[in-house]
Every structure is written in structure tokens, then in C-alpha cells.
Amino acid sequence: MAEETTSTDEETPEEPPRDDRREEILGQVVEAMGDAVVGSHIDPGRDLWVRVATGAWGEAAEVMRNRMGCRYFGYLSAIDWMPSPYGRSMDSEVDNALGTGQSADQEEAPAGIVQGVAGGESRFQMLARVATIGTPGDHWGITLKADVADDDMRMPTWTGVYAGADWHERECWEMFGIEFIGHPGLRHIYLPGDFEGNPLRKDYPLVARMVKPWPGIVDVETLPETDQDSAGAPDDEGAES
Amino acid sequence: MTAVTDRQKLSYIASQAADARVNVELETEGMTLNIGPQHPATHGTLRIVAQLDGEQVIRAEPVAGYMHRGYEKLAEVRTYPQVTTLLNRIDWLGSFANEVPFILAAEHLMEVEAPPRATWIRTILHEMSRVAHMILFLGDMGVQLGAVTPVFFAFRDREYVLDQIEAATGGRFHPNFDRIGGLKDDLPKGWIESTKVALAKVLSFCDEMEDLLLGSEIFQARTRGIGVIPPDVAMQYGLSGANARGSGIDWDIRRDNCIGLAYPELDWKVWTHPDGDSFARFWVRLQETREAVKMIEQLCDGLPSGPVMAKVPRIIKVPAGEAYVATENPLGEMGYYVVSQGDLTPFRVKIRSASFNNVSITPWIMRGVYVPDIVTILGSLYFILGDIDR
């Protein structure tokens, strides 16, 4: 793992570390997909991100499998980049004592959408990872991203290329409300059939937190007996002193 | 000459139907068989709806979600150290192995590196949880085929391993021992010696299973050629771990893509089996258990000295960035895609659990098998429901 040590000094300006293997892979992807590659990012020795145009999502799977040799399907999901309108619900006594909580008066307004690596323009973004399983030592994975148009939340399915995308797309549809065109059976996988809403969207509240804030480290209510004990305690102390 | 009356029409249809009846009677009626949600053959609460034609399965559809607890959503409101308590509960049999990749992802984003001793102890405990996990599998596989003795042996011998995990971490199933930057504590005194005793017990358990199950004619007849997964299909579905290696895919994250653990410094072997059937998956796991024992012995002998915790701030804020880190947990590729926006909590955590992919192949693999094979295949795929449902 000689590569790995180079990744720590990523930000030294004089000699930015290079990852020739991943540069080369990125070059091949760009060659295969042309203008459809709209963003990319390399974490030297670790990972490679490629963002493709919304319309090229289906094609990207085929290129990855047939031309890049990524026969291994890792996962498929999505990210909702909108900041949660409910904040982080970190307002317990402990959080405030540590100065890390957001009490109601100092709650900062959501700063707007901040996209992650490889850029992005929309609220929802597809996220998928495929990998090669080649000779030992030449194993690499690639994370693919694509924007999901805000007004048309439909993406082509990957099930025709990677059969394993079936369950992942069902989960993604259920959790984010992104529809997959051509999916053989877009049914609920985790939630009951009549469930409404998409729980992993940021604007879907985590109701348990709204009812009672997370207690933090220790926030145990005292038992009735201990209440009596503690009530009697000052008297005892007073008698002794 | 005369027009055909309704009566004639009806009798003609009836005669045709009678002919059809002859054919129909040779076939069996379709039937839907519900396995689960609480069948002993499902490692948790999974339900399988199988449509049968006689003894043959036409279609089998797993129904998951009975244990969905929404960890990906919960992770968005908990601080990084708090998230590990959730991760413990994803796969309760090998919970320590689930903490590691998340911590490694956070460490990578913070550009913190754990000291070598912490890395080695992590690797030891990672392999210990694999051994505990695999012991249960090896015994449990017998139960799926009607042999009850092995699972009692398994529960007996797993205790030795769990005792060691408990002695080091304080928890049998939910260690919560990993910290960003290292470990909560060092190993207790005398731990390495008592571990070696436990490892000897594990090896003798493996021999017992080899005698009891692997050599048994019934076991071979029930598992050989049952539930064959060709390597290409396995990769399309993203099968990992022993399920992939049982299909002849020579790939192991510990060897090929190891991040932040001590595996590259050890002398060990990746076992594969070309057959891809239930027997192959059992065989690979049996060999891996022995291999893990070998690794723990090497790790215990070469354990470096030094601190187990790097210098990290008291309040952990992870700089903005994204990282995907996967390790080979007992079930396969366990990875976390962590998105941070420089906050106390992760912005988004995608949990890529091994069982989710491993079980998604069931509708494909169950087509055309016989009813008793359903249980064999489920047993040999080996999943944990918490790992599917998260």
C-alpha cells in the first residue's frame, strides 16, 4: 500500500501527489463517453469520481461494463444535497454545554446547496459504484454521479446492464422518490406498501428527534427514591456541620 | 346445413375442455409457500414467498424490511462518535468489523492516522469477529440440512471467542471500541495468551465440522450442485466475500484493496473454490476460518508497542469531503460512503452492506430448485437480516 501514504499530503502546494493509474482510467472514460463527462475528481491512491450528464446515465453503465471492464456492481444510491430545514436537532443540554449545539436563537439559516466532489447542479444526485475484479493489485473502483433534473425525477434503469441494480433502485426510489424508467418491478422494499413520503429526503422530518431531542452523553431522569434521598441530603449535611 | 345451435357449441367447448382436462390433470396445481418471516432457516426476520409447481420453485421473492431501522437517516443527526453505536447493530454477529470502515473513512477525511498498534489490534479484533461469525455459520449450515449437533458445538466454541472479544472491548455483541484516531483502550494483560488457547479450540472445532459435515454423504448430496452461481452473475449482483470466492472469483478486499489495516504485512492465502455451489461456499468459509486463526496468531506475535490513540480534537468535526471505504467483513464487502460538510454530523452516509447484495440474487438463483434446496441455498448464502435492512 505504498500509494496510500501519498494521500495524506494531498494539500501540500509544492508537489501535489499524482495518481497516474487513475489519471489514465479517467482518460479512458473521457475517451469513451466524450462530452457526457461533466466533472471528475481524483483522490490519489484512493478513489476516482466521474460525473456524467443526466441523459448519459444509462449509457454510462454500458460503457463501464463493456468498455472499462467494471463487471462488479457495488451499489447504487442517491444524495439529497439540500440542507435539512430542521437543522441537526443538536440542542440537548450537553450539546449546548460543549458549545456545539444549535439552540433556537443561534440557529443558522441553511446555507443553500453545497455540492460535493465532481460538482453538480441539481438537488438530487445519483451515486453508484462499480469496480473491476482483475488481477491482484490492479483492482480499482469508480464512483459515478449524475444530476437528477429537479423537474423530472426520472432516470434510466441499470438493471439491463447490472442485474444487481434491481434492489438498489427499488431502495433509491422508495427513499428519494427517484423513478427508474424500465425497472421491472418498482415496489417498496423496506417500507409498508401504503407508506407516503421519501424518508431519506432532507425535508422529511425525523419525527423521533422532533418529539424529544437527542440526550447527548448522559441525561437520565432521577428515580423517585433518589429524589427523596437527595432531598434529605442537605438536612443531613446541615446537621453534621 | 343447419346452423350450429348453442347447445352444440357448448358441448364442443366441453369436449375440448375435457381434452384439456387430461393434460391439466397431469400437471400439479400451483401453490404459494410462505417461508418466514420467522422461519428458523432465515437469519432474522426475512420472508420468502415461493411459488411452487409441485416440488419445484417457479418464483421466489424475498420480502425484507421487517427490521428496517433507518440508520442512514439516523446517522445524519448523530455525531461521528455516536454513529458507531448504530453500526454495531447492523450485523450483530460481527459488529466490530462494521465499525472499522466507517472510522477509517472519517479518519481519511480528517487526515488522521491511527498508530500502528491500534491498527494491529483493530485487525486482530476484525479477524476475531470473523471467526465468531464463521463458527456460527459452520454449525448453522448443519441445522439447515437437518443435523442439529453441529450448532450446539458451534455455540459452545463461539463462547471462547466471544469471551476474548468481551475481555478486550467490554461487549460481546456491541463492542463500540473504535474511536476516530485509534482505539478506546489497549488490550488487557494476559489477553494474548488466553487468545491463543481460544484459537486452538477454534481449530479443533474446524476439524470437528470437517468430520461431521464435510465428509458426510448426506451433506454432500444435499449441497453439491445446489444453488450454482456462475462468476459472471455473481459479479453482476455484486456478491462479495465467501459467496464470490465460492464461485471462483479470486478477490478479497483484505489482499487487493486493503486500506488502513495490517493485512499486507501478514502471510496468508485467499481461498477460492471453482464450483460455485452451496458446498463450495461452505468449504471456502471453513478454510477462511482456519486462515483467520493463522492471521490472528501472526498478529499477536508481531504486535507493535506504542500508543493506541492518535492526537485528535476533543470535539470531532470532519472537514468537508467524500470518501468510500470498504473492508472485508465476515459477510463480504462492507463499505460506507461518507459525505461530510465540515459538521459534527455526517451529511449523508450510504451503507453498502454485504448481505443486501448477497441476498438480491435469490430470485435468480431460486428459479427451478426444489423446496428443500431453498433452505440449503439460504443457509449457504449466509446473511444477517440487520445487514440487509439497516
Side-chain angles (χ1 to χ4, degrees):
Chain A
M1 293 290 102
E3 296 175 323
E4 197 206 319
T5 51
T6 59
S7 64
T8 49
D9 49 6
E10 197 177 343
E11 284 174 4
T12 44
E14 54 272 23
E15 198 201 331
R18 284 181 58 83
D19 187 338
D20 294 332
R21 183 76 185 105
R22 285 190 169 77
E23 298 274 0
E24 187 192 322
I25 295 162
L26 180 60
Q28 287 170 4
V29 176
V30 171
E31 194 186 319
M33 302 210 42
D35 294 341
V37 176
V38 288
S40 69
H41 176 78
I42 291 176
D43 187 354
R46 292 294 275 255
D47 218 341
L48 167 64
W49 282 263
V50 171
R51 184 164 70 95
V52 300
T54 311
W57 182 245
E59 188 207 340
E62 280 166 38
V63 168
M64 281 300 145
R65 182 169 159 76
N66 300 333
R67 290 183 62 178
M68 301 302 296
C70 293
R71 292 189 295 155
Y72 179 81
F73 173 76
Y75 64 81
L76 186 147
S77 191
I79 303 178
D80 181 357
W81 286 110
M82 192 180 83
S84 171
Y86 306 106
R88 303 286 176 157
S89 315
M90 301 191 71
D91 50 1
S92 72
E93 281 173 33
V94 176
D95 290 324
N96 289 330
L98 289 172
T100 56
Q102 312 162 324
S103 53
D105 49 318
Q106 67 181 58
E107 188 166 355
E108 34 192 296
I113 289 179
V114 182
Q115 305 279 357
V117 297
E121 279 146 22
S122 58
R123 178 181 162 189
F124 290 96
Q125 208 167 40
M126 292 301 303
L127 178 71
R129 188 178 173 86
V130 292
T132 55
I133 294 185
T135 50
D138 193 33
H139 167 87
W140 51 268
I142 179 166
T143 304
L144 294 164
K145 284 185 173 183
D147 294 347
V148 181
D150 292 326
D151 52 346
D152 181 21
M153 302 258 293
R154 289 184 300 167
M155 295 299 273
T157 179
W158 272 23
T159 46
V161 187
Y162 294 103
D166 183 352
W167 280 25
H168 291 261
E169 286 179 355
R170 274 170 70 185
E171 188 196 357
C172 189
W173 166 75
E174 175 175 69
M175 293 294 166
F176 291 96
I178 297 166
E179 204 179 313
F180 290 92
I181 303 162
H183 189 283
L186 220 46
R187 301 185 307 279
H188 281 289
I189 190 162
Y190 289 139
L191 305 171
D194 53 356
F195 192 91
E196 279 177 27
N198 307 102
L200 274 181
R201 285 191 181 188
K202 292 282 182 186
D203 52 5
Y204 190 91
L206 184 54
V207 184
R209 275 294 173 89
M210 319 216 71
V211 175
K212 191 172 194 291
W214 179 243
I217 302 165
V218 181
D219 189 26
V220 187
E221 288 172 29
T222 47
L223 293 167
E225 304 95 283
T226 50
D227 276 351
Q228 280 177 359
D229 291 347
S230 60
D235 293 338
D236 294 343
E237 276 174 28
E240 273 173 31
S241 60
Chain B
M1 282 296 134
T2 51
V4 183
T5 61
D6 282 353
R7 199 183 170 80
Q8 280 172 318
K9 267 188 201 166
L10 278 175
S11 71
Y12 176 75
I13 291 167
S15 75
Q16 292 295 305
D19 283 352
R21 194 63 173 270
V22 174
N23 294 328
V24 168
E25 271 171 2
L26 288 175
E27 290 173 9
T28 47
E29 250 174 68
M31 175 191 155
T32 306
L33 176 70
N34 260 299
I35 300 178
Q38 282 288 13
H39 191 271
T42 57
H43 311 254
T45 33
L46 174 77
R47 171 173 159 224
I48 293 199
V49 184
Q51 281 174 7
L52 307 180
D53 177 15
E55 276 279 284
Q56 215 162 19
V57 178
I58 307 169
R59 216 165 70 86
E61 187 67 41
V63 182
Y66 290 95
M67 294 197 53
H68 187 242
R69 295 148 290 177
Y71 285 169
E72 291 183 15
K73 184 83 175 172
L74 282 177
E76 289 171 10
V77 293
R78 296 204 180 173
T79 60
Y80 283 86
Q82 284 170 346
V83 170
T84 47
T85 59
L86 300 176
L87 308 182
N88 276 170
R89 284 152 179 82
I90 290 177
D91 165 12
W92 45 78
L93 293 182
S95 39
F96 184 84
N98 293 347
E99 297 175 7
V100 175
F102 180 80
I103 296 287
L104 288 174
E107 280 178 3
H108 174 60
L109 289 173
M110 290 178 75
E111 300 186 6
V112 169
E113 209 171 327
R117 188 173 171 86
T119 307
W120 281 58
I121 295 174
R122 262 179 201 170
T123 319
I124 292 176
L125 288 168
H126 200 285
E127 287 306 306
M128 289 289 270
S129 55
R130 183 187 316 279
V131 171
H133 216 297
M134 286 305 131
I135 286 178
L136 197 64
F137 164 77
L138 296 172
D140 189 61
M141 189 71 188
V143 174
Q144 318 289 348
L145 306 174
V148 185
T149 318
V151 82
F152 291 122
F153 286 2
F155 278 120
R156 182 197 66 196
D157 288 341
R158 192 175 64 140
E159 285 302 301
Y160 300 116
V161 183
L162 287 184
D163 283 348
Q164 288 312 108
I165 293 177
E166 187 187 12
T169 66
R172 294 167 74 76
F173 284 96
H174 305 306
N176 201 16
F177 195 55
D178 258 314
R179 298 287 184 273
I180 290 169
L183 294 169
K184 178 170 166 272
D185 233 327
D186 207 335
L187 292 176
K189 240 184 187 146
W191 192 84
I192 288 182
E193 288 71 37
S194 51
T195 301
K196 288 194 171 160
V197 177
L199 292 182
K201 295 241 164 64
V202 173
L203 283 181
S204 76
F205 170 80
C206 289
D207 294 341
E208 265 173 355
M209 287 304 118
E210 196 156 328
D211 293 345
L212 272 173
L213 288 175
L214 212 61
S216 156
E217 269 177 51
I218 301 170
F219 182 82
Q220 299 228 358
R222 288 286 305 279
T223 54
R224 287 247 186 208
I226 303 297
V228 179
I229 306 173
D232 201 53
V233 176
M235 282 197 241
Q236 262 201 43
Y237 278 94
L239 259 60
S240 52
N243 291 335
R245 288 190 286 278
S247 294
I249 299 169
D250 187 14
W251 175 59
D252 192 316
I253 299 174
R254 288 175 287 171
R255 180 193 62 192
D256 299 328
N257 205 10
C258 177
I259 288 171
L261 291 173
Y263 292 112
E265 291 162 61
L266 306 178
D267 173 32
W268 62 289
K269 181 177 172 353
V270 175
W271 292 89
T272 59
H273 196 290
D275 287 1
D277 55 7
S278 303
F279 181 84
R281 293 190 278 275
F282 181 86
W283 187 87
V284 167
R285 286 204 175 91
L286 182 63
Q287 304 307 326
E288 276 184 8
T289 313
R290 292 191 172 129
E291 207 63 40
V293 170
K294 253 173 69 185
M295 276 193 253
I296 299 170
E297 278 171 352
Q298 290 177 41
L299 286 160
C300 284
D301 291 337
L303 194 62
S305 55
V308 291
M309 192 71 193
K311 255 185 105 66
V312 286
R314 196 166 70 95
I315 295 166
I316 286 169
K317 278 195 178 188
V318 175
E322 292 171 43
Y324 176 74
V325 175
T327 57
E328 185 86 19
N329 95 335
L331 296 163
E333 179 185 347
M334 181 76 186
Y336 297 94
Y337 190 89
V338 180
V339 181
S340 174
Q341 291 198 337
D343 225 326
L344 288 164
T345 58
F347 185 76
R348 164 120 172 81
V349 181
K350 161 70 189 163
I351 305 169
R352 189 266 187 230
S353 59
S355 298
F356 189 76
N357 281 35
N358 287 353
V359 173
S360 71
I361 201 170
T362 41
W364 184 90
I365 199 178
M366 295 275 186
R367 227 173 281 146
V369 303
Y370 291 97
V371 174
D373 299 340
I374 298 177
V375 180
T376 311
I377 293 168
L378 281 182
S380 71
L381 280 177
Y382 198 45
F383 50 86
I384 291 298
L385 257 296
D387 206 26
I388 300 175
D389 286 357
R390 302 190 296 265

